[in-house]
């Protein structure tokens, strides 16, 4: 199965605020007009495939909005992650494609081993941000999917340039099996850094790159 990785920029506190109780008028409108509709459409897609997660995506969304994620079942983590991803999507910028991979955890794990060997520090290694999970500020535990997908990742935008610099410093010594993907990440992180700095000058508050791994 192929897994699609996309990324979007968002204000992390804005995402978390959906799970903390009172919503402002803009959030209520976004919830009604977009997030709930996408959750229902996601659920219909699962039902057409005969997939039962033990909790529907709209139910999972209601749980998150009410401040808990404590349903029982082997696959409820999938529903919670899907619901949370819809909140992130509507808090963030338009998604940008990162790539399509058959086994992203395996590939980026090996790439991370290579980067670590060359001296790139923890926190900037691919698995550290691609599979970082929901924001730490969420005040309750959100169970992860048992098979690892869908996955949610995140990287502070302030670390985009340090990541690009760290990868650039070792690129000419990397195994060629990973150098192409490293260069793609370097290019994307430099663009994201430049756009973030420009956005800050115009009063925007996005502070996090969120990654979605579907499939």
């Amino acid at each position: 199965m192929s897994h699609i990785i996309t990324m979007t920029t968002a204000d992390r506190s804005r995402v978390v605020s959906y799970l903390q109780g009172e919503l402002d008028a803009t959030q209520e409108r976004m919830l009604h007009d977009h997030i709930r509709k996408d959750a229902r459409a996601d659920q219909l897609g699962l039902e057409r495939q005969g997939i039962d997660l033990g909790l529907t995506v709209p139910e999972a969304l209601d749980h998150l909005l009410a401040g808990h994620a404590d349903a029982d079942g082997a696959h409820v983590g999938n529903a919670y992650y899907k619901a949370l991803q819809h909140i992130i999507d509507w808090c963030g910028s338009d998604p940008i494609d990162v790539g399509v991979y058959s086994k992203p955890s395996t590939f980026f794990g090996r790439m991370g081993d290579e980067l670590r060997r060359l001296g790139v520090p923890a926190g900037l290694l691919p698995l550290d941000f691609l599979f970082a999970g929901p924001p730490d500020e969420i005040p309750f535990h959100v169970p992860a999917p048992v098979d690892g997908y869908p996955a949610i990742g995140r990287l502070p935008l302030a670390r985009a340039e340090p990541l690009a610099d760290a990868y650039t410093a070792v690129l000419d010594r990397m195994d060629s099996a990973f150098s192409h993907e490293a260069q793609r990440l370097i290019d994307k992180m430099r663009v994201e850094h430049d756009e973030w700095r420009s956005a800050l000058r115009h009063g925007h508050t996005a502070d996090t790159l969120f990654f979605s791994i579907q499939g």
Side-chain angles (χ1 to χ4, degrees), residues 10 19 30-31 33 44 77 80 100 106 109 132 176 201 205:
L19 284 64
M30 193 69 69
L31 181 63
D33 293 346
L44 288 174
Y80 285 128
V100 180
T106 300
S176 60
R201 290 194 292 270
T205 60

Side-chain angles (χ1 to χ4, degrees), residues 108-122:
F108 285 108
R110 291 173 178 168
M111 180 176 168
D113 290 341
E114 174 72 354
L115 290 165
R116 185 186 298 107
R117 181 185 69 82
L118 295 170
V120 174

Side-chain angles (χ1 to χ4, degrees), residues 58-199:
E59 287 171 342
L61 176 61
D62 286 339
H63 287 194
L64 296 176
L65 295 169
H68 64 88
D70 52 7
D72 293 326
H75 300 288
V76 297
N78 296 60
Y80 285 128
Y81 266 49
K82 283 176 173 291
L84 180 56
Q85 187 63 57
H86 291 308
I87 293 173
I88 293 170
D89 289 345
W90 284 103
C91 285
S93 61
D94 290 338
I96 297 169
D97 288 338
V98 175
V100 180
Y101 304 87
S102 60
K103 297 179 179 179
S105 62
T106 300
F107 175 80
F108 285 108
R110 291 173 178 168
M111 180 176 168
D113 290 341
E114 174 72 354
L115 290 165
R116 185 186 298 107
R117 181 185 69 82
L118 295 170
V120 174
L124 298 180
L125 302 175
L127 293 189
D128 292 340
F129 58 89
L130 290 175
F131 291 85
D136 294 333
E137 296 87 350
I138 293 176
F140 54 89
H141 174 65
V142 180
V146 292
D147 59 357
Y149 301 100
I152 294 173
R154 51 190 164 82
L155 178 76
L157 277 162
R159 305 201 75 185
E161 186 175 53
L163 187 153
D165 290 344
Y167 286 21
T168 299
V170 302
L171 188 62
D172 62 349
R173 293 181 283 133
M174 285 188 71
D175 186 315
S176 60
F178 309 111
S179 57
H180 175 71
E181 292 305 320
Q183 184 64 65
R184 291 183 72 236
L185 283 172
I186 289 167
D187 294 342
K188 289 181 183 299
M189 291 302 110
R190 294 210 185 283
V191 169
E192 293 301 325
H193 170 79
D194 291 345
E195 291 186 352
W196 171 59
R197 297 299 299 176
S198 176

